[in-house]
């Protein structure tokens, strides 16, 4: 006897299949899609502005024979980071144009420094690949110089940890650890605070520039000695602090306490070239927070929200399909071979009464009529 496959069984099969699919989606999205999302974008475009006040050497006065250091000078440092070629699925090239202005003077005379930096980084770890080797250009009329590096710069890795990371300093062109300090909050956003201290570096050993080692009369430097030639070296030191949103690696806030000075001994600064603390301004911090939150929303949507919804719906569909399938199996009735035994009489089925039920029919064609049956005379006597 065959069993019929009703609509309930078909619907149960569909629900079980849908449930299994949604559960698979809930498992695969966090493991695959989120991994693809945790990459530095190929269309990155970030502007950061830091401002403050500090002491600045008037270079013209120094060359004129009398060093003059201006104090409480308003300063603005601007950095514009974009993505350039070569960039691909695993690597991205970042170009950063950085300028430092004193805003109390007009035009280009207020420009203190300008640097164009290019580096190719791994899109997940944010570490430089040196393929191609990064370059630094400090003079518009001079070609960029190749400078290999092995530390972070403009972005931290996704899922940053509470540990030290190598960090490349553009001015000294050295890599030193930037150390985890604390977990804190900025405008309600959880961030990790890291700090790096760069001890005095001899800039004349970093960049071959005549201004990094100068010989002038002692009186020009403002030190005792009159016209006796005195050679001074330009030194650079810094304390860098960054606050990073750990899941996206976005630097939400940054601050540098830079000190460049001339001295005969690094431990004894004599003429300040630049001495200033420059933190990100509030507009930059808000823009960086928005960028970090956008990244968090995308990661959480595909890493948590979508998998949870898909998992719950998949489980509901799977359970509903199994329950419906079991109930449908119990209600199935056996069907006859010719297909009409269970059809009601009102719909054309056959109905038999006890007295007219079909009897076995005799096959007359099989009778041998030419044979006369033999009669037993003893039975005849008994019957009489």
């Amino acid at each position: 006897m065959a069993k019929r496959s009703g609509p309930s069984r078909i619907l149960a099969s569909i629900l079980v299949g849908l449930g299994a699919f949604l559960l698979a989606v809930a498992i695969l999205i966090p493991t695959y899609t989120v991994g693809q999302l945790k990459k530095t974008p190929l269309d990155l475009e970030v502007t950061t502005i830091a401002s403050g006040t500090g002491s600045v050497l008037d270079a013209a006065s120094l060359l004129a024979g009398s060093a003059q250091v201006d104090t409480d000078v308003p300063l603005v440092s601007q950095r514009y980071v974009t993505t350039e070629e070569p960039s691909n699925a695993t690597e991205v090239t970042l170009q950063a144009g950085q300028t430092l202005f004193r805003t109390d003077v007009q035009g280009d005379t207020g420009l203190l420094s300008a640097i164009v930096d290019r580096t190719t980084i791994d899109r997940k770890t944010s570490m430089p690949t040196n393929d191609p080797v990064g370059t630094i250009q400090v003079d518009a009329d001079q070609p960029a110089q190749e400078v290999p590096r092995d530390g972070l710069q403009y972005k931290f890795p996704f899922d940053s940890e509470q540990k030290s990371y190598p960090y490349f300093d553009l001015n000294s062109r050295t890599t030193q650890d930037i150390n985890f300090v604390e977990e804190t909050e900025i405008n309600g956003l959880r961030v990790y605070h890291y700090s790096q201290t760069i001890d005095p570096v001899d800039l004349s050993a970093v960049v071959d520039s005549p201004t990094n080692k100068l010989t002038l009369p002692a009186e020009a430097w403002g030190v005792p000695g009159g016209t006796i030639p005195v050679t001074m070296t330009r030194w650079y030191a810094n304390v860098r602090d960054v606050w990073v949103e750990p899941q996206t690696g976005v630097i939400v806030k940054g601050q540098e306490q830079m000190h460049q000075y001339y001295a005969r001994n690094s431990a004894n600064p004599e003429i300040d070239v630049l001495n200033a603390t420059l933190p990100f301004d509030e507009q930059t911090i808000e823009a960086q927070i928005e960028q970090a939150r956008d990244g968090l929303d995308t990661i959480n949507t595909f890493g948590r929200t979508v998998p949870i919804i898909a998992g719950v719906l998949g489980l509901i569909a799977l359970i509903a399909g199994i329950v419906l399938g079991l109930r449908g199996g119990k209600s199935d009735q056996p069907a006859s071979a010719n297909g009409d035994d269970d059809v009601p009489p009102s719909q054309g089925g056959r109905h038999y009464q006890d007295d007219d039920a079909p009897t076995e029919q005799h096959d007359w064609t099989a009778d041998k009529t030419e044979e006369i049956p033999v009669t037993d005379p003893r039975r005849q006597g008994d019957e009489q």
Side-chain angles (χ1 to χ4, degrees):
M1 304 290 281
K3 288 188 177 181
R4 293 182 175 169
S5 179
S8 61
R9 280 188 172 275
I10 296 174
L11 180 57
S13 298
I14 293 174
L15 288 173
V16 169
L18 178 61
F21 171 75
L22 290 173
L23 288 175
V25 168
I27 295 172
L28 291 176
I29 283 182
T31 57
Y32 177 76
T33 305
V34 173
Q36 297 301 310
L37 291 173
K38 288 184 176 181
K39 289 184 177 181
T40 301
L42 293 174
D43 58 350
L44 191 68
E45 187 174 348
V46 178
T47 299
T48 58
I49 297 175
S51 59
T53 59
S55 302
V56 177
L57 172 66
D58 184 345
S61 68
L62 177 63
L63 297 178
S66 178
Q68 175 183 328
V69 177
D70 299 328
T71 59
D72 296 324
V73 175
L75 301 167
V76 173
S77 174
Q78 179 171 306
R79 184 173 67 199
Y80 180 56
V81 181
T82 59
T83 55
E84 306 291 339
E85 294 297 334
S87 296
N88 53 47
T90 60
E91 300 175 351
V92 61
T93 297
L94 302 180
Q95 177 170 289
Q98 305 185 47
T99 57
L100 177 63
F101 276 92
R102 56 182 298 174
T103 59
D104 59 338
V105 295
Q106 299 296 320
D108 292 341
T109 56
L111 179 64
L112 300 178
S113 67
I115 301 175
V116 177
D117 179 40
R118 286 174 65 96
T119 179
T120 300
I121 66 172
D122 184 282
R123 292 180 63 191
K124 287 187 176 182
T125 66
S126 299
M127 290 294 290
T129 64
N130 290 308
D131 184 22
V133 175
T135 61
I136 298 175
Q137 184 178 16
V138 294
D139 295 312
D141 57 350
Q142 297 293 326
Q145 296 179 332
E146 288 189 349
V147 180
R149 58 203 77 185
D150 55 0
L152 304 172
Q153 280 184 264
Y154 305 109
K155 185 182 179 300
F156 271 63
F158 288 92
D159 299 319
S160 295
E161 300 179 49
Q162 298 182 3
K163 67 176 189 179
S164 298
Y165 287 95
Y167 198 96
F168 181 77
D169 180 80
L170 193 60
N171 293 310
S172 66
R173 303 188 185 184
T174 61
T175 298
Q176 299 181 40
D177 281 349
I178 189 166
N179 302 310
F180 174 78
V181 177
E182 62 178 346
E183 178 180 329
T184 184
E185 286 189 1
I186 296 179
N187 297 351
L189 183 69
R190 182 177 69 103
V191 294
Y192 288 174
H193 175 199
Y194 299 87
S195 184
Q196 179 191 48
T197 298
I198 299 174
D199 294 327
V201 175
D202 179 357
L203 291 180
S204 67
V206 176
V207 179
D208 185 14
S209 170
T211 61
N212 286 339
K213 190 179 288 286
L214 281 176
T215 301
L216 297 172
E219 57 189 6
W221 291 113
V223 298
T227 59
I228 298 174
V230 174
T231 299
M232 290 209 187
T233 299
R234 187 169 179 171
W235 299 86
Y236 161 79
N238 198 352
V239 176
R240 174 179 287 110
D241 290 275
V242 294
W243 288 261
V244 178
E245 194 293 306
Q247 284 189 256
T248 60
V250 172
I251 298 176
V252 170
K253 178 182 176 181
Q255 174 180 286
E256 296 192 19
Q257 301 175 57
M258 292 187 292
H259 192 193
Q260 292 190 33
Y261 56 91
Y262 282 111
R264 288 166 283 187
N265 185 324
S266 63
N268 183 30
E270 298 183 75
I271 304 292
D272 279 344
V273 177
L274 173 68
N275 191 357
T277 298
L278 300 173
F280 282 3
D281 64 15
E282 285 302 319
Q283 186 176 355
T284 296
I285 294 172
E286 287 298 329
Q288 294 298 98
I289 287 176
E290 183 178 355
Q291 182 188 2
R293 283 182 170 151
D294 287 345
L296 282 173
D297 288 344
T298 302
I299 292 172
N300 289 335
T301 296
F302 288 94
R304 183 179 304 169
T305 306
V306 172
I308 289 175
I309 293 174
V312 170
L313 293 179
L315 191 59
I316 291 173
L318 189 62
I319 294 173
I322 292 173
V323 171
L324 187 60
L326 292 175
R327 288 182 177 178
K330 291 180 180 179
S331 63
D332 285 344
Q333 298 294 329
S336 66
N338 57 18
D340 59 3
D341 285 353
D342 57 352
V343 180
S346 61
Q347 298 181 14
R350 287 183 293 176
H351 190 137
Y352 299 117
Q353 300 293 334
D354 291 341
D355 57 348
D356 61 357
T359 60
E360 184 178 353
Q361 300 296 316
H362 184 75
D363 186 2
W364 295 100
T365 61
D367 285 356
K368 297 181 180 181
T369 58
E370 73 275 13
E371 296 182 3
I372 299 175
V374 178
T375 303
D376 187 349
R378 291 175 295 178
R379 292 181 59 87
Q380 290 181 352
D382 293 336
E383 291 174 359
Q384 294 176 354

